[in-house]
Amino acid sequence: MNGASLLLVDDDVDLLRLLSMRLVAAGYRVSTAETVQSALAQLAVMTPQLVISDVRLPDGDGLALYEEIRARLPALPVILLTAHGTIPDAVDATSRGVFGYLTKPFDSKVLLDKVRQALLVSAATPEAGDDAWRSEIVSRSSAMTELLTEARLIAASDASVLVRGESGSGKELLARAIHKASPRAARPFVAVNCGAIPEALLESELFGHVKGAFTGAVNHHRGLFQTADGGTLFLDEIGDMPLALQVKLLRVLQERAIRPVGSSESLPIDVRILSATHRDLDAAMAAGEFREDLYYRLNVVALTLPPLAARREDIPLLANHLLQRLAEKYAKRLNGFAPDALEALSTAAWPGNVRQLFNAIEQVCALCTASIVPLALVQRALRQPSAEVLSYAEAKRRFELDYLTRLLKLTDGNVADAAKLADRNRTEFYRLLQKHALTPALFRGDGVAE
């Protein structure tokens, strides 16, 4: 329980100091604020595991602060401190989701018990489960902290979860973390990319098939639903699933049973469904490309991963973590990044998110010959292929120049042979060479033109 971070909000400086001393002595990390605005400012840059606030504050009240917290951080528990006259307000607040309230004056033991209960319920402390479930996710940003808190709460249920986020943002890692934190952790976690398997094979991959179901089906095949039985099935890029299969998936989710391809019998299954997409499913539904009834089956709870550019405070942490992992892979001793190299990583655009960062770190790790990664290697890894769109005329010009150059190299500058390979007469071929200012003699060993 010790080590959890708490935010205390009270305009009574003496009480604030006393509460801080008691909580710090109990092993908690404590931040303080005296107004609603200062509390909200702190919540913008850090996410505590519990907020304890007085109901009466100079620029508002604890109830207004609670509503702001619930809008921003719905999983963050709040305890209200109340004088006798504000007890009805506090009782009303508990019906709206406030974890609880304490009436002033209160005993230290009562306070500590209430804090411990709130932290246990929020599943945010070591006693509620250590961080092994999310060990693959490296982050210290407030946005990710809140997301992981919600994921930890959701993991305890069997609700279907839809993970949204840009490509490369770590959707499968989050799905694995939810599985590890769930009661199904000891059972299989099976992931399938719905967009990577041809439509003709996807049904068999998901539901299995019986021997003789189609040409080439020489044996019975257990599908991924059966493989994941008792555990979790992660359907990545669910937005790319063909409509015909969406209907069959919906039936499976409704009946909790599958029917292998070619079989007349249904088999019961016990699988939790997690899914992910980078597509706009609302737009896909409007276009008739995704079933609305399936969407609501999958989207019982939605989690959205922020892009890497929206959590830049995580980039140095991630970069050093990946560097150490990859240094082991390449058997190198790398101690970190030069300051300007780390700054370049922290300020880059990262359209490919964490996956792109991993690839960049792997490149610098493979090429680095010093113990500290220099800026030059990072800059090289950050260079992206040109994304320019050429006009038809320019694309044609570049193709012709490259094509003629390769022909002249191949024939050592012999125009007659080059024209023959191009299936053009010499006059037309010479015209093309003049158009591109190519001199055949430059490609001849003797330097003499024909």
Side-chain angles (χ1 to χ4, degrees), residues 63-91:
L63 297 175
L65 175 60
Y66 165 68
E67 293 297 338
E68 286 282 349
I69 291 172
R70 186 169 67 168
R72 299 183 189 188
L73 306 166
L76 180 60
V78 176
I79 294 174
L80 295 179
L81 306 179
T82 175
H84 181 75
T86 56
I87 288 177
D89 289 337
V91 173

Side-chain angles (χ1 to χ4, degrees), residues 11-132:
D11 61 331
D12 185 334
V13 178
D14 292 332
L15 180 59
L16 203 60
R17 186 182 300 114
L18 179 61
L19 286 177
S20 296
M21 290 172 59
R22 288 174 177 172
L23 291 166
V24 169
Y28 297 109
R29 292 177 288 117
V30 178
S31 300
T32 62
E34 297 178 22
T35 64
V36 171
Q37 289 306 312
S38 61
L40 292 175
Q42 289 202 46
L43 289 171
V45 296
M46 54 85 74
T47 302
Q49 291 162 274
L50 172 66
V51 174
I52 303 173
S53 174
D54 192 10
V55 171
R56 295 284 184 248
L57 295 167
D59 58 342
D61 58 48
L63 297 175
L65 175 60
Y66 165 68
E67 293 297 338
E68 286 282 349
I69 291 172
R70 186 169 67 168
R72 299 183 189 188
L73 306 166
L76 180 60
V78 176
I79 294 174
L80 295 179
L81 306 179
T82 175
H84 181 75
T86 56
I87 288 177
D89 289 337
V91 173
D92 176 61
T94 59
S95 68
R96 287 187 279 162
V98 169
F99 179 79
Y101 66 93
L102 293 172
T103 307
K104 299 177 182 177
F106 45 79
D107 182 81
S108 295
K109 184 179 183 303
V110 174
L111 169 66
L112 294 175
D113 285 345
K114 201 71 172 178
V115 168
R116 191 176 299 109
Q117 292 166 15
L119 292 172
L120 283 171
V121 169
S122 71
T125 65
E127 281 190 22
D130 59 29
D131 284 344

Side-chain angles (χ1 to χ4, degrees), residues 353-431:
N353 295 292
V354 180
R355 184 183 296 125
Q356 183 189 0
L357 176 63
F358 180 91
N359 292 339
I361 301 302
E362 184 164 26
Q363 182 180 139
V364 302
C365 186
L367 296 175
C368 191
T369 57
S371 60
I372 299 294
V373 178
L375 174 62
L377 276 182
V378 168
Q379 289 175 327
R380 175 175 173 176
L382 290 175
R383 290 195 191 104
Q384 298 299 313
S386 172
E388 64 177 325
V389 178
L390 302 176
S391 67
Y392 175 79
E394 175 61 14
K396 181 181 177 183
R397 186 195 71 78
R398 292 190 184 187
F399 169 78
E400 284 183 353
L401 178 60
D402 179 63
Y403 180 69
L404 294 170
T405 300
R406 285 190 289 119
L407 284 177
L408 290 172
K409 285 181 178 179
L410 189 65
T411 60
D412 292 327
N414 187 307
V415 176
D417 289 346
K420 188 178 297 183
L421 287 172
D423 196 22
R424 292 289 183 270
N425 61 53
R426 288 184 60 171
T427 302
E428 183 183 1
F429 198 81
Y430 266 118
R431 198 177 297 125

